[in-house]
């Protein structure tokens, strides 16, 4: 992926579409129209903006995690904090929790393992112990696969703990699984109703039907017998439940508690949300909102935020090489017409004097040695920036970068921007692990388009 180039291509494609859609007889009118839509202040485009974040801190404590069912990976610090709040180990009462960490931070795993742990400890009690509500069926289906894999890979859970996907489909037994599998949960609706799973993945409409319609009465048979069995209720993407839908979900949760006669303060509510802003006000607003939706008390300490490494921690010292390519090399490194991704990445490696045949994992080690990568990560770690803002701040902090001209008239290109483009392409290519599952740095390019 060439993130910055793709943003520019999207922008150009939209401009071409507008040119084909809006035609004017008078050239002066046509020129004025297009000056307006591309204007930095009044136009329809904002950005592209660069979000470049360092990896999350990992759990470094010496004592054992408070779970019997633990992940096979080293958890992030915020995941361990969630484990501490949500565990039922040694009689601990799980606490209301709001996970507000960024993309790729493992929010699902943060609440999943305490829930699996609870289900494992109560495996001999039939009935629904956990409900996870998703705003979209696509999200529910994706998470169901991850849940199935986590259960299948643990011999203590395999064949003993079940999960069901209850999202409005699932009537065909040949198409929708009736049992757990390596990469799927129970999806057949009749099987879910006749043998309620330990974990129910659904959406608020289907949960509403499940509570109201007689045909789904059997789904709750064990919960009627044991009103303390249901322990966790999760709202994924909590921030999407606003306005009238938020009111509907809040009332639905209250009806769930009434129908199952759940004891007061027994059900542990969990919400996942996008990263919140800074300051006490953002926490206060979020906890008040969550309290209103769940009907439970959320305190400020219920909000778990992400903890990322500093540039100093991640890059280990100040011995990076302050290398910047020559102008002629930068000019020649630009993306060629119809050039494929592989060839472009190879040319970027050559531009930065890196071995051409290194793997994405090895590439991450080489990028750590470059001063410009550390400087960019340090600057972007403070917030999302436009390309121009990043170039300005990088020129202020790096003498070698500042020596590059902003514009090269002879070559008709912008050397500083081309350097940023090249480095971002290499960062997107690099991986932090040998299996190439995790990014070297968390990179996002955002292009905002206003309605015309």
């Amino acid at each position: 992926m060439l993130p910055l180039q793709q943003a520019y291509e999207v922008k150009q494609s939209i401009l071409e579409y507008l040119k084909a859609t809006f035609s004017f007889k008078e050239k002066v009118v046509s020129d004025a129209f297009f000056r307006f839509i591309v204007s930095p202040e009044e136009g329809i485009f904002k950005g592209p903006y660069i979000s470049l974040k360092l990896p999350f801190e990992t759990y470094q404590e010496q004592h054992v995690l408070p779970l019997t069912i633990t992940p096979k990976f080293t958890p992030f610090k915020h995941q361990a904090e969630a484990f501490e709040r949500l565990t039922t180990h040694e009689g601990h009462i799980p606490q209301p929790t709001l996970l507000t960490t960024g993309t790729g931070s493992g929010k699902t795993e943060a609440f999943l393992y305490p829930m699996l742990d609870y289900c494992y400890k109560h495996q001999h009690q039939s009935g629904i112990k956990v409900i996870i509500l998703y705003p979209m069926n696509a999200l529910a289906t994706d998470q169901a696969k991850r849940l199935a894999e986590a259960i299948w890979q643990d011999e203590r859970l395999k064949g003993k703990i079940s999960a069901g996907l209850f999202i409005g489909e699932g009537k065909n037994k040949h198409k929708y699984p009736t049992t757990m599998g390596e990469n799927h949960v129970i999806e057949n609706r009749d099987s879910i109703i006749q043998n309620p799973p330990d974990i129910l993945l659904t959406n608020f409409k289907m949960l509403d039907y499940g509570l109201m319609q007689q045909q789904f009465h059997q789904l709750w048979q064990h919960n009627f017998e044991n009103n303390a069995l249901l322990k966790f209720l999760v709202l994924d993407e909590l921030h999407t439940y606003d306005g009238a839908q938020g009111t509907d979900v809040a009332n639905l949760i209250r009806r769930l508690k009434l129908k199952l006669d759940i004891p007061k303060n027994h059900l542990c509510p969990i919400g996942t949300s996008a990263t919140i802003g800074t300051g006490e006000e953002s926490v206060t607003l979020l906890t008040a909102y969550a309290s209103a939706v769940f009907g439970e008390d959320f305190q400020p300490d219920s909000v778990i935020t992400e903890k990322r490494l500093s540039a100093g921690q991640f890059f280990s010292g100040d011995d990076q090489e302050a290398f910047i390519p020559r102008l002629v090399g930068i000019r020649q490194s630009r993306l060629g017409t119809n050039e494929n991704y592989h060839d472009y990445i190879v040319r970027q490696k050559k531009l930065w004097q890196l071995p051409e045949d290194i793997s994405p994992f090895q590439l991450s080690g080489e990028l750590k040695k470059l001063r410009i990568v550390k400087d960019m990560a340090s600057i972007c770690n403070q917030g999302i920036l436009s390309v121009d803002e990043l170039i300005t701040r990088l020129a202020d902090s790096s003498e070698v970068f500042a020596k590059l001209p902003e514009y090269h008239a002879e070559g008709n290109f912008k050397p500083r921007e081309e350097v940023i483009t090249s480095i971002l392409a290499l960062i997107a290519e690099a991986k932090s692990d040998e299996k190439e599952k995790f990014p070297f740095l968390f990179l996002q390019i955002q292009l905002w388009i206003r309605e015309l």
Side-chain angles (χ1 to χ4, degrees):
M1 182 180 70
L2 308 178
L4 204 51
Q5 288 95 330
Q6 288 178 321
Y8 288 134
E9 286 178 11
V10 168
K11 181 176 179 179
Q12 188 59 40
S13 297
I14 293 173
L15 286 174
E16 294 299 327
Y17 168 77
L18 292 176
K19 288 179 182 178
T21 304
F22 298 96
S23 58
F24 303 92
K25 291 182 179 180
E26 297 184 26
K27 185 176 185 302
V28 64
V29 178
S30 178
D31 291 345
F33 174 73
F34 285 103
R35 279 199 304 273
F36 163 66
I37 62 175
V38 299
S39 166
E41 292 79 24
E42 304 296 334
I44 66 172
F45 298 104
K46 293 293 181 182
Y49 296 101
I50 299 170
S51 172
L52 185 63
K53 296 183 178 180
L54 291 157
F56 299 100
E57 289 186 37
T58 53
Y59 180 66
Q60 301 292 342
E61 301 296 330
Q62 297 299 316
H63 61 274
V64 180
L65 291 169
L67 300 171
T68 301
I69 304 299
T70 57
K72 294 181 180 180
F73 56 84
T74 302
F76 296 130
K77 191 172 182 178
H78 60 262
Q79 290 177 320
E81 290 179 7
F83 296 163
E84 294 280 356
R85 287 189 64 84
L86 298 174
T87 182
T88 54
H89 186 63
E90 295 182 350
H92 179 268
I93 299 174
Q95 304 297 307
T97 302
L98 295 170
L99 296 158
T100 63
T101 56
T103 304
S105 62
K107 287 192 287 287
T108 298
E109 287 74 13
F111 64 75
L112 178 61
Y113 283 94
M115 291 177 183
L116 290 175
D117 193 62
Y118 172 74
C119 292
Y120 173 71
K121 291 172 182 174
H122 295 81
Q123 60 181 293
H124 300 299
Q125 295 177 275
S126 300
I128 298 172
K129 304 172 180 66
V130 176
I131 296 176
I132 308 177
L133 290 176
Y134 294 95
M136 295 184 294
N137 287 349
L139 279 174
T141 303
D142 178 67
Q143 297 300 322
K145 182 177 183 294
R146 294 169 64 181
L147 176 56
E149 291 171 348
I151 293 174
W152 186 271
Q153 293 169 7
D154 194 317
E155 291 298 326
R156 296 167 296 179
L157 304 178
K158 184 179 177 181
K160 299 173 184 176
I161 302 303
S162 61
L165 185 61
F166 188 62
I167 59 173
E169 301 177 348
K171 293 184 179 181
N172 188 331
K173 288 187 177 181
H174 300 289
K175 184 177 180 181
Y176 300 100
T178 58
T179 59
M180 294 286 293
E182 182 177 1
N183 53 19
H184 65 79
V185 300
I186 302 167
E187 297 180 28
N188 178 260
R189 186 186 295 179
D190 292 336
S191 299
I192 292 173
I193 295 170
Q194 292 168 9
N195 296 292
D198 299 290
I199 302 173
L200 186 71
L201 291 78
T202 185
N203 55 57
F204 78 94
K205 283 293 185 184
M206 281 306 297
L207 181 58
D208 190 19
Y209 293 149
L211 293 174
M212 294 181 64
Q213 297 186 9
Q214 180 63 31
Q215 59 178 316
F216 300 128
H217 182 77
Q218 192 177 353
L219 183 65
W220 312 104
Q221 57 180 318
H222 303 293
N223 294 89
F224 292 141
E225 297 167 3
N226 181 0
N227 65 349
L229 189 60
L230 180 61
K231 192 67 175 176
F232 295 99
L233 174 64
V234 181
L235 277 182
D236 191 49
E237 304 290 345
L238 176 64
H239 57 278
T240 63
Y241 297 101
D242 58 354
Q245 182 171 282
T247 302
D248 288 343
V249 172
N251 288 326
L252 174 64
I253 291 172
R254 285 155 178 79
R255 286 195 284 112
L256 172 70
K257 295 176 185 177
L258 286 171
K259 187 176 182 71
L260 303 186
D261 191 27
I262 297 174
K264 186 176 178 59
N265 298 323
H266 171 78
L267 188 63
C268 177
I270 303 168
T272 72
S273 182
T275 305
I276 61 173
T278 58
E280 294 183 5
E281 184 181 12
S282 60
V283 172
T284 301
L285 291 172
L286 180 60
T287 52
Y289 167 67
S291 298
V293 173
F294 282 103
E296 302 286 347
D297 184 31
F298 284 83
Q299 295 297 319
D301 62 356
S302 66
V303 180
I304 295 179
T305 56
E306 61 187 38
K307 282 81 178 175
R308 294 184 182 270
L309 296 171
S310 67
Q313 291 173 313
F314 182 68
F315 288 92
S316 304
D318 296 312
D319 57 348
Q320 288 78 26
E321 185 179 358
F323 169 73
I324 293 292
R326 295 165 55 196
L327 274 175
V328 62
I330 298 171
R331 181 179 178 180
Q332 294 171 352
S333 73
R334 291 179 296 170
L335 183 65
T337 304
N338 298 324
E339 183 176 20
N340 64 49
Y341 174 79
H342 177 266
D343 290 344
Y344 176 78
I345 290 297
V346 167
R347 290 201 298 112
Q348 303 319 301
K349 291 176 182 177
K350 291 173 63 177
L351 177 68
W352 294 94
Q353 299 181 357
L354 306 177
E356 297 177 26
D357 57 348
I358 55 175
S359 68
F361 172 62
Q362 294 169 323
L363 176 60
S364 67
E366 294 297 327
L367 291 177
K368 275 190 173 185
K369 300 175 184 178
L370 294 175
R371 166 65 64 176
I372 189 172
V373 177
K374 181 179 179 180
D375 289 341
M376 287 175 59
S378 301
I379 294 168
C380 291
N381 213 33
Q382 301 168 21
I384 297 174
L385 301 171
S386 69
V387 176
D388 290 340
E389 288 172 332
L390 176 57
I391 289 173
T392 299
R393 296 195 188 185
L394 195 56
D396 291 340
S397 63
S398 171
E399 291 184 11
V400 289
F401 182 79
K403 290 179 181 179
L404 288 174
E406 292 185 24
Y407 179 72
H408 189 266
E410 182 181 345
N412 189 27
F413 75 107
K414 299 176 180 179
R416 293 183 180 182
E417 186 171 319
E418 290 297 337
V419 165
I420 297 294
T421 300
S422 175
I423 286 293
L424 290 179
L426 291 174
I427 287 174
E429 168 73 3
K431 303 298 179 184
S432 65
D433 63 308
E434 293 191 38
K435 293 183 178 180
E436 301 180 7
K437 288 186 175 182
F438 300 99
F440 165 57
L441 296 173
F442 293 83
L443 171 63
Q444 289 182 324
I445 303 297
Q446 303 176 19
L447 179 66
W448 292 80
I449 305 169
R450 299 199 285 188
E451 185 177 5
L452 181 62

